[in-house]
Amino acid sequence: MTALFQQLPSVDKFLKTPEGEMLLTEFGHSAVVRELRQLLSEGREFIKQHQNLPYFFADHLSTLHYLQERLTQQNHVQIKSVHNLTGTVLHTNLGRALWAESAQQAALHAMKGNVALEYDLEEGKRSHRDNYISELLTQLTGAEAACIVNNNAAAVLLMLATFAKDKEVIISRGELIEIGGAFRIPDIMAQAGCKLVEVGTTNRTHLKDYRQAINENTAFLMKVHCSNYHISGFTASVSEQELVDLGREFDIPVITDLGSGALIDLSQYDLPNEPTVQEKVAQGVNLVSFSGDKLLGGTQAGIIVGKKEWIAQLQAHPLKRVLRCDKVILAGLEATLRLYLQPEKLIETLPTLYLLTQSIDVLQEKAEQLKACLANRLKDYHVEIEESFAQIGSGSQPMATIPSFAVTIAEKTEVKLTALLAIFKALEQPIIGRVEKGKIWLDLRSVADFKALLDTVEKL
Ligand SMILES: *Cc1c(COP(=O)(O)O)cnc(C)c1O
């Protein structure tokens, strides 16, 4: 064994060989030394276990190739591009909304160079980073002003921390939501330093419940859109409109966490309806918050719209600085919002809406192409086309499904689905479907780039 250990090169010696010098030129001293040391320790372990010299230390050339491979691998970004065939168009785990072409361009410009982010080009003086978007949102929603933060969770935190610290916020028991991750309304309230006052019951809350809970310490009446669940049966809830009227009586503002927050009426496309931001603003809600990367189809952001003096206070709170967005996100968001100035064009310009509104015939045609491509390569499986149900996702209308088509794959021989799932995941651009009723479902509605998908399948 000792003889084997002695055959391992020393770091210094290897670096002085022509192979070592090649590596140094290509990757630099630190990375090469780090990987070589790691490889030597693996080599020693290998010798202990196998009483044999590992192949990667057989000669200098083998060591060179092995290290080259590893060091090149390190440059590959691990946040990989994947094909979304889950049928969930806005999939939080897969990065939610795809950016519109114009948003990508705007972001690229912003990231490559300097932009007039907090600079007023007309006046030649300092300005505010949310200004451009605030003006646009005023035009689009009818609100007086807007404030942009990292995400909607941050938006809720900022609203509560600014106006309700050490005060009470009244909310229905039916709206104490958990969105996933660590976003639970009661926890956010605790973080913001405000006291949660729950009223009503899980299934029924009435206006009088809110009325009875109001006292001199009440900061807000709060509504939270139940995005990701549905209460049915014997139910009652109080609308924003009614709450606004009650709030006016006591001079207490109403805020709404709208979640997805659509800016257009989705029922015109036969899609499940979501309340719109405009609707809430028109009803007199003081502050409305929503996400930028859900139905809006833009960048990850939290958007708060409302009265000027309220927004000004949000902007002045120290937490705003903590939660603010960077130039790239703001550029992407502004470009996305500009698309809403031409709403008839949105189904072409906004990828999220394009995916959601694809006709069932188009999806069937795509399913046929995908099936033809897959069936050739998966002779050990049953490959079929089936009607499927897609979803908006990200908590929008969890009960509502959108008709779709899927290619389904079932076991035919003893070759297992798990084996195929592993192959799909190991692809350069992995294919992510869903497993249901003992089959893999590849739903076409959520596919961002169908041509790229076919290219990937051809390499199977
Ligand atoms: C999605 C959602 C959130 C969280 O929004 P993010 O942008 O993911 O932070 C908060 N509230 C509701 C009602 C939601 O639907």
Side-chain angles (χ1 to χ4, degrees):
M1 261 231 278
T2 321
L4 284 171
F5 283 126
Q6 278 166 358
Q7 285 182 54
L8 293 177
S10 78
V11 172
D12 285 344
K13 236 189 219 154
F14 180 77
L15 292 184
K16 289 201 179 90
T17 64
E19 289 81 4
E21 278 174 7
M22 273 172 74
L23 284 171
L24 288 175
T25 312
E26 199 175 343
F27 300 101
H29 188 265
S30 322
V32 174
V33 169
R34 185 185 61 229
E35 280 312 302
L36 183 54
R37 286 206 179 118
Q38 173 66 26
L39 200 62
L40 282 166
S41 116
E42 285 168 31
R44 283 189 287 273
E45 197 52 39
F46 188 96
I47 292 172
K48 268 189 233 157
Q49 284 189 14
H50 304 279
Q51 284 79 49
N52 225 332
L53 203 61
Y55 70 94
F56 43 81
F57 280 122
D59 50 44
H60 291 335
L61 205 59
S62 307
T63 311
L64 167 71
H65 288 156
Y66 198 76
L67 282 176
Q68 237 168 2
E69 171 78 28
R70 272 212 197 181
L71 286 159
T72 307
Q73 204 63 39
Q74 281 179 1
N75 291 336
H76 293 170
V77 175
Q78 288 297 301
I79 299 183
K80 267 194 189 176
S81 167
V82 299
H83 296 290
N84 177 7
L85 287 103
T86 61
T88 299
V89 172
L90 296 169
H91 201 302
T92 299
N93 303 147
L94 302 181
R96 289 195 187 158
L98 311 171
W99 288 29
E101 187 62 39
S102 63
Q104 296 173 35
Q105 290 304 326
L108 195 64
H109 280 298
M111 71 180 74
K112 289 196 337 191
N114 290 112
V115 288
L117 181 65
E118 297 183 349
Y119 188 81
D120 185 329
L121 288 170
E122 275 168 32
E123 306 280 325
K125 60 172 201 229
R126 194 165 196 277
S127 130
H128 193 281
R129 65 173 58 211
D130 292 350
N131 271 0
Y132 298 107
I133 294 181
S134 185
E135 277 170 27
L136 253 177
L137 280 166
T138 301
Q139 197 178 343
L140 292 169
T141 68
E144 287 177 11
C147 170
I148 316 297
V149 287
N150 177 58
N151 56 15
N152 188 30
V156 174
L157 177 69
L158 181 62
M159 292 191 293
L160 294 173
T162 305
F163 297 106
K165 189 166 186 290
D166 300 327
K167 291 189 165 176
E168 296 178 5
V169 176
I170 305 176
I171 182 169
S172 159
R173 284 203 170 83
E175 295 173 12
L176 293 174
I177 59 163
E178 174 181 311
I179 291 295
F183 185 86
R184 285 175 160 191
I185 287 290
D187 296 343
I188 297 282
M189 294 235 181
Q191 286 297 323
C194 51
K195 185 173 166 225
L196 167 69
V197 178
E198 304 171 30
V199 297
T201 58
T202 307
N203 58 329
R204 289 172 72 83
T205 303
H206 307 281
L207 194 60
K208 65 172 194 288
D209 298 323
Y210 289 92
R211 183 185 288 278
Q212 280 162 8
I214 291 175
N215 63 38
E216 68 286 350
N217 222 2
T218 306
F220 281 135
L221 306 177
M222 184 174 187
K223 282 287 284 182
V224 179
H225 181 53
C226 29
S227 313
N228 56 358
Y229 66 104
H230 182 75
I231 299 182
S232 64
F234 186 53
T235 66
S237 65
V238 179
S239 73
E240 270 94 345
Q241 185 67 68
E242 293 169 279
L243 276 192
V244 166
D245 291 342
L246 180 67
R248 289 213 175 110
E249 216 179 290
F250 293 88
D251 202 18
I252 294 172
V254 176
I255 62 170
T256 293
D257 168 11
L258 250 198
S260 217
L263 287 180
I264 47 168
D265 173 14
L266 291 175
S267 61
Q268 66 183 304
Y269 306 108
D270 288 329
L271 288 169
N273 208 11
E274 272 281 322
T276 64
V277 178
Q278 292 89 326
E279 217 171 282
K280 302 301 166 194
V281 170
Q283 285 171 0
V285 175
N286 298 71
L287 293 171
V288 183
S289 81
F290 52 101
S291 293
D293 57 352
K294 291 186 179 174
L295 273 171
L296 190 117
T299 63
Q300 181 189 300
I303 301 169
I304 309 168
V305 297
K307 292 246 183 296
K308 240 191 189 125
E309 74 245 38
W310 286 76
I311 297 291
Q313 287 192 62
L314 292 175
Q315 294 287 11
H317 193 279
L319 259 185
K320 169 65 206 305
R321 172 60 193 256
V322 177
L323 303 171
R324 76 182 185 185
C325 294
D326 81 318
K327 60 174 182 173
V328 174
I329 291 293
L330 290 173
L333 184 60
E334 187 196 331
T336 307
L337 288 169
R338 288 201 176 277
L339 299 174
Y340 281 85
L341 296 173
Q342 287 150 25
E344 292 82 7
K345 293 280 171 193
L346 281 170
I347 52 172
E348 295 152 44
T349 55
L350 200 66
T352 299
L353 201 59
Y354 168 79
L355 294 179
L356 289 172
T357 57
Q358 288 175 104
S359 80
I360 197 74
D361 296 341
V362 166
L363 295 178
Q364 186 170 16
E365 162 71 28
K366 286 181 176 173
E368 269 154 22
Q369 282 188 56
L370 179 62
K371 183 195 164 186
C373 210
L374 274 170
N376 275 333
R377 292 171 172 81
L378 304 179
K379 296 213 164 28
D380 291 331
Y381 298 91
H382 289 293
V383 182
E384 303 288 345
I385 294 178
E386 293 187 58
E387 286 183 12
S388 173
F389 294 102
Q391 283 201 318
I392 295 178
S394 276
S396 294
Q397 299 287 345
M399 309 298 288
T401 52
I402 311 169
S404 185
F405 271 100
V407 173
T408 61
I409 305 169
E411 286 168 7
K412 178 158 83 180
T413 62
E414 69 286 354
V415 189
K416 296 283 176 231
L417 280 186
T418 44
L420 187 58
L421 286 168
I423 291 172
F424 282 170
K425 278 191 203 136
L427 289 163
E428 196 174 300
Q429 187 172 357
I431 294 175
I432 316 282
R434 60 176 199 264
V435 178
E436 212 175 273
K437 300 181 201 148
K439 298 178 195 173
I440 301 174
W441 290 68
L442 302 177
D443 192 309
L444 277 303
R445 184 167 293 282
S446 49
V447 177
D449 187 342
F450 184 64
K451 209 181 143 294
L453 173 66
L454 292 184
D455 288 347
T456 297
V457 169
E458 263 159 30
K459 283 184 219 131
L460 263 183

